[in-house]
């Protein structure tokens, strides 16, 4: 069929097709290059000693244990706070709210929150949590800042999943005399659990990768923090530590090691999110 | 079945046999109280986002205005020299504004064609076996932390730029543009795919029936039909590029130059804040908050375009 086309159209077809294939493969090659480059440079730097020691300038020890722990602390508290808030907001939007204008305002502000750059979250978090509320530069200030930052992620994924719960389930329960909270608690929320889990995983991914919002709120300390008291102290997460080692100390061995650790975490988080999303889709079908 | 019975009993739809009426009433009262409380709790959760945006806006304005007032709006926004630590400090942020715009523009110019082509490939042209891995790869790009992009840029891209163009240092506007182009790729691709998938198949079938080849159909029918969605992706990409701080600070060189050439070391709005906030005090610190206010205004304009301009266009 193509042979009958005029030359001009044949050239256009071939050129356009070529460009599209080239772009797609460029994207694939780029990702492969990034993965290989980070892993090849980073993995040889990772050792048990690095993963389990506290860095010390005087004794010339490199270690990333405090940063790993800080990341775990920050992820845990942030999710603990944001999960009820985000799920609650989504339930309100989908199950309770009657006023269309109010729904639109909440959805608009949620979109707005998703678009605000993390450096602005960092500044406002510093002003509100560290200074006005007096939490100082601490993991707690960092967590509270991140709560606001990842709130839209949780709200959106939960809302999407609430929408997939068939209306007939609610009507059936209503017909049996159940009240709203009872329906939400026993039918709607259990049915949308996988969407909530997906939202959590996506939020964890954002928290692990965040640096600009934490630099001025959670700070950059490299000490080992343990227990609940850790939240009152300043500490760097893995991403912040990567920035400090690369940009301020030019210690690229440790920086590449952290980059490799982060990338492995991101790979795991990504595949987990994919997995839960798949079960969500299967249920839809 | 037992569950249903329990539900009924719990909801008080049917009086459970043998219970005293007083107890029944108490129970109903208790349930109504729980319902009302939960209603309030969910309402409060819903208002957290609204309150956060209000609080952020308030704090941005309150902390950003004083320095602008002291320095003067014109001197601040259009001043060409930023010398915050000089003996006679000057606070002009035009270099930052223009660098941010140039960096974002460059990233869009590079990222949009590649992203759109990738989206077209994944949505229409890819054989099944290729669509899976390439789609997953692009999604992965979105998950990589910006500091990792920054590190790669710093250690691989910047030396490469300096080698290829024979520069003393490769940390320049071009390096920032390249890193940002990669970082905005996933948002452009995923939004464009959604838009391309939503094009009614009749449009494409009609074009094919009229004798256009599939490739011609995709370029001349599908893309124009999906343009409002694609535009949304572009605006999202602009938002990401304008707001990115950590990756840019690691590759752009961070000198407050006007972006007169691709090979000049520049400072963006975001990196101006991140670079000096750690040690700034007094008017310098206030000026950094004013920079943040300018950045915030840019982002709010982009948000407004996304929420009102583009959505309105789609409905028409």
């Amino acid at each position: 069929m193509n042979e009958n086309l005029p030359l001009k159209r044949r050239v256009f077809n071939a050129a356009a097709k070529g460009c599209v294939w080239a772009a797609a493969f460029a994207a694939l090659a780029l990702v492969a290059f990034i993965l290989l480059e980070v892993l090849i440079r980073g993995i040889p730097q990772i050792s048990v000693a690095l993963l389990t020691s506290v860095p010390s300038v005087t004794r010339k020890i490199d270690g990333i244990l405090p940063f790993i722990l800080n990341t775990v602390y920050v992820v845990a508290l942030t999710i603990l706070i944001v999960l009820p808030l985000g799920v609650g907001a989504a339930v309100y939007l989908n199950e309770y709210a009657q006023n269309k204008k109010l729904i639109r305002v909440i959805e608009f502000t949620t979109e707005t929150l998703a678009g605000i750059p993390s450096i602005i979250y960092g500044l406002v978090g510093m002003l509100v949590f560290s200074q006005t509320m007096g939490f100082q530069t601490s993991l707690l200030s960092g967590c509270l800042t991140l709560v606001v930052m990842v709130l839209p992620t949780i709200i959106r994924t939960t809302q999407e999943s609430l929408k997939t719960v068939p209306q007939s389930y609610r009507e059936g329960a209503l017909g049996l005399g159940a009240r709203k909270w009872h329906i939400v608690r026993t039918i709607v929320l259990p049915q949308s659990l996988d969407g909530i889990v997906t939202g959590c995983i996506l939020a964890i991914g954002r928290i692990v990768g965040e640096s600009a919002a934490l630099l001025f709120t959670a700070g950059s300390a490299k000490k080992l923090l343990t227990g609940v008291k850790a939240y009152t102290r300043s500490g760097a997460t893995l991403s912040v530590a990567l920035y400090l080692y690369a940009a301020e100390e030019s210690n690229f061995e440790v920086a590449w090691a952290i980059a490799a650790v982060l990338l492995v975490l991101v790979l795991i988080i990504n595949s987990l999110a994919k997995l839960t999303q798949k079960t969500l889709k299967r249920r839809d079908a | 079945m037992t569950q249903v019975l329990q539900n009924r009993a719990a909801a008080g739809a049917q009086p459970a046999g043998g219970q005293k009426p007083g107890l029944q009433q108490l129970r109903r009262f208790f349930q109504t109280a729980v319902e009302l409380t939960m209603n309030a709790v969910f309402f409060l959760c819903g208002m957290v986002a609204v309150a956060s945006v209000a609080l952020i806006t308030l704090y941005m304005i309150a902390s950003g205005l004083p320095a602008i007032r002291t320095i003067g709006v014109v001197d601040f926004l259009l001043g060409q020299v930023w010398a915050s630590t000089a003996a006679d400090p000057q606070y002009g942020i035009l270099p930052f504004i223009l660098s941010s715009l140039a960096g974002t523009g460059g990233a869009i110019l590079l990222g949009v064609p590649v992203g759109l082509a990738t989206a077209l490939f994944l949505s229409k042209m890819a054989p099944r076996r290729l669509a899976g891995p390439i789609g997953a790869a692009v999604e992965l790009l979105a998950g990589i932390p910006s500091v990792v992009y920054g590190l790669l840029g710093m250690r691989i891209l910047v030396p490469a730029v300096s080698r290829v163009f024979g520069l003393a240092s490769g940390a320049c506007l071009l390096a920032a543009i390249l890193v940002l182009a990669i970082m905005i790729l996933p948002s452009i691709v995923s939004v464009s795919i959604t838009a391309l998938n939503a094009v009614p198949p009749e449009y494409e079938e009609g074009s094919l029936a009229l004798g256009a080849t599939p490739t011609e159909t995709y370029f001349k029918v599908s893309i124009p039909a999906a343009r409002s969605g694609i535009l949304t992706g572009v605006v999202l990409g602009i938002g990401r590029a304008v707001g990115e701080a950590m990756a840019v600070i690691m590759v752009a060189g961070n000198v407050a130059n006007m972006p007169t050439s691709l090979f000049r070391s520049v400072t963006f709005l975001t990196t101006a804040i991140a670079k000096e906030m750690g040690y700034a005090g007094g008017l310098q610190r206030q000026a950094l908050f004013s920079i943040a206010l300018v950045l915030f205004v840019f982002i709010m304009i982009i948000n407004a375009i996304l929420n009102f301009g583009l959505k309105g266009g789609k409905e028409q």
Side-chain angles (χ1 to χ4, degrees), chain B residues 15-61:
Chain B
Q19 255 178 3
K20 284 177 195 160
L23 205 67
Q24 183 84 29
Q25 257 176 348
L26 197 69
R27 200 167 182 182
R28 261 197 199 179
F29 174 77
F30 177 69
Q31 274 166 2
T32 312
V34 169
E35 284 296 325
L36 286 176
T37 319
M38 289 321 290
N39 207 333
V41 166
F42 283 125
F43 173 74
L44 287 179
C45 287
M47 295 314 284
V48 169
V50 182
S52 303
V53 171
L55 200 72
I56 291 171
T57 311
L58 259 174
Y59 264 88
M60 277 327 326
I61 293 173

Side-chain angles (χ1 to χ4, degrees), chain B:
Chain B
M1 192 62 205
T2 38
Q3 180 70 35
V4 171
L5 281 177
Q6 275 168 6
N7 284 356
R8 263 193 215 189
Q14 260 186 3
Q19 255 178 3
K20 284 177 195 160
L23 205 67
Q24 183 84 29
Q25 257 176 348
L26 197 69
R27 200 167 182 182
R28 261 197 199 179
F29 174 77
F30 177 69
Q31 274 166 2
T32 312
V34 169
E35 284 296 325
L36 286 176
T37 319
M38 289 321 290
N39 207 333
V41 166
F42 283 125
F43 173 74
L44 287 179
C45 287
M47 295 314 284
V48 169
V50 182
S52 303
V53 171
L55 200 72
I56 291 171
T57 311
L58 259 174
Y59 264 88
M60 277 327 326
I61 293 173
S63 60
L65 278 186
I68 295 184
R69 231 182 256 153
T70 319
I71 299 160
V73 180
V74 177
D75 284 346
F76 183 68
L77 290 178
L78 301 178
Q80 300 195 11
V81 180
W82 174 270
S84 58
T85 47
D88 179 25
Q90 274 181 286
Y91 302 99
I93 65 163
L94 194 62
F96 305 152
I97 296 178
L98 292 182
S99 300
S100 270
L101 292 181
T104 305
I108 291 291
L109 231 51
L110 278 178
V112 168
V114 178
L116 185 55
T118 309
L120 194 63
F121 181 79
L122 290 173
S123 163
K124 310 277 177 194
M125 294 162 84
R128 269 225 175 136
R129 249 190 238 161
L130 279 177
I134 294 184
V138 173
E139 262 174 51
L140 187 65
L141 274 185
I144 295 176
S146 47
V147 278
V148 173
Y149 283 113
L151 181 66
L152 282 160
M154 206 174 176
R155 297 302 285 171
I156 294 166
L157 187 64
V158 167
V161 167
S162 98
R163 223 176 305 125
V164 170
F165 297 100
L167 307 167
S169 160
C172 61
L173 181 59
L174 179 65
I177 287 176
L178 290 171
V179 170
L180 286 176
I182 296 169
M183 292 183 73
I184 62 172
L185 208 56
S187 9
I188 293 172
V189 173
S190 70
V191 179
S192 301
I193 287 180
T194 315
L196 284 169
N197 283 343
V199 173
E202 297 85 31
Y203 290 16
E204 285 157 8
E205 284 157 11
S207 159
L208 290 172
L210 287 171
T213 63
T215 314
E216 286 166 344
T217 302
Y218 301 143
F219 274 86
K220 295 180 176 168
V221 175
S222 309
I223 290 185
R227 66 175 179 277
S228 93
I230 293 168
L231 210 60
T232 308
V234 173
V235 178
L236 271 178
I238 293 176
R240 269 205 84 175
V242 169
E244 181 52 48
M246 304 317 270
V248 174
I249 204 173
M250 292 166 89
V251 298
N254 306 323
V255 181
N257 284 327
M258 292 292 252
T260 46
S261 132
L262 280 176
F263 305 117
R264 282 197 103 173
S265 159
V266 292
T267 306
F268 285 28
L269 286 168
T270 48
T271 54
I273 305 166
K275 197 180 75 173
E276 296 184 14
M277 190 47 88
Y279 57 81
L283 185 60
Q284 184 193 358
R285 189 180 147 92
Q286 286 183 327
L288 295 181
F289 283 113
S290 305
I291 299 178
L293 179 61
V294 173
L295 175 65
F296 186 67
V297 170
F298 273 117
I299 293 291
M300 289 314 253
I301 292 172
I302 291 169
N303 263 334
I305 294 174
L306 270 179
N307 274 290
F308 301 113
L310 290 172
K311 271 183 191 159
K314 219 183 278 172
E315 274 158 26
Q316 289 160 16

Side-chain angles (χ1 to χ4, degrees), chain A residues 254-270:
Chain A
V254 180
W256 283 115
I258 297 177
V261 171
L262 279 174
L263 207 60
V264 170
L265 281 177
V266 166
L267 282 171
I268 295 172
I269 290 168
N270 243 33

Side-chain angles (χ1 to χ4, degrees), chain A residues 114-254:
Chain A
I116 293 177
S118 46
I119 182 96
I120 289 192
Y121 278 111
L123 288 189
V124 176
M126 179 176 85
L127 288 173
V128 176
F129 301 121
S130 307
Q131 291 171 8
T132 308
M133 293 172 89
F135 295 143
Q136 249 101 40
T137 304
S138 65
L139 289 188
L140 180 63
S141 298
C143 288
L144 293 172
T145 309
L146 291 181
V147 163
V148 185
M149 205 180 90
V150 299
L151 189 65
T153 312
I154 304 270
I155 295 182
R156 252 193 250 152
T157 45
T158 308
Q159 220 184 337
E160 257 164 51
S161 154
L162 289 176
K163 278 179 189 156
T164 66
V165 178
Q167 197 58 33
S168 56
Y169 287 18
R170 297 186 185 90
E171 285 161 4
L174 216 56
L176 289 171
R179 296 210 199 169
K180 200 129 219 178
W181 164 234
H182 197 84
I183 298 174
V184 168
R185 187 165 50 90
T186 56
I187 293 164
V188 175
L189 283 182
Q191 279 288 318
S192 43
L193 198 63
D194 38 11
I196 298 172
V197 172
T198 309
C200 259
I201 296 170
L202 292 176
I204 292 174
R206 273 203 78 180
I207 297 168
V208 167
E210 188 48 54
S211 46
L214 288 172
L215 198 57
F216 304 121
T217 52
S220 49
K222 295 176 177 172
K223 288 205 180 95
L224 188 72
L225 305 172
T226 48
V228 186
K229 253 192 162 174
Y231 288 106
T232 61
R233 301 281 165 76
S234 152
T237 62
L238 280 168
S239 291
V240 175
L242 167 51
Y243 169 72
L244 295 173
Y245 277 113
E248 293 188 356
E249 296 177 22
S250 298
N251 183 345
F252 292 108
E253 288 83 24
V254 180

Side-chain angles (χ1 to χ4, degrees), chain A residues 10-158:
Chain A
R10 260 190 307 191
V11 170
F12 171 82
N13 274 324
K17 218 174 191 172
C19 285
V20 169
W21 278 76
F25 274 92
L28 188 65
L30 184 74
V31 179
F33 173 78
I34 289 175
L35 283 180
L36 285 176
E37 199 71 36
V38 171
L39 295 178
I40 288 173
R41 285 172 188 243
I43 287 183
Q45 310 290 347
I46 299 176
S47 61
V48 178
L50 184 84
L51 292 175
T52 55
S53 10
V54 179
S56 159
V57 182
T58 47
R59 285 185 292 157
K60 296 219 164 90
I61 299 175
D62 283 327
I64 60 171
L65 180 65
F67 314 129
I68 296 176
L69 286 180
N70 289 342
T71 307
V72 173
Y73 295 147
V74 169
V75 165
L77 185 65
T78 307
I79 292 292
L80 197 71
I81 301 173
V82 79
L83 195 60
L85 283 181
V87 172
V91 167
Y92 180 74
L93 284 173
N94 209 57
E95 311 289 327
Y96 281 85
Q98 309 270 320
N99 187 338
K100 283 240 168 80
K101 252 186 202 157
L102 183 62
I103 295 181
R104 218 173 297 149
V105 168
I106 296 178
E107 281 180 344
F108 170 69
T109 48
T110 310
E111 293 292 314
T112 307
L113 280 184
I116 293 177
S118 46
I119 182 96
I120 289 192
Y121 278 111
L123 288 189
V124 176
M126 179 176 85
L127 288 173
V128 176
F129 301 121
S130 307
Q131 291 171 8
T132 308
M133 293 172 89
F135 295 143
Q136 249 101 40
T137 304
S138 65
L139 289 188
L140 180 63
S141 298
C143 288
L144 293 172
T145 309
L146 291 181
V147 163
V148 185
M149 205 180 90
V150 299
L151 189 65
T153 312
I154 304 270
I155 295 182
R156 252 193 250 152
T157 45
T158 308

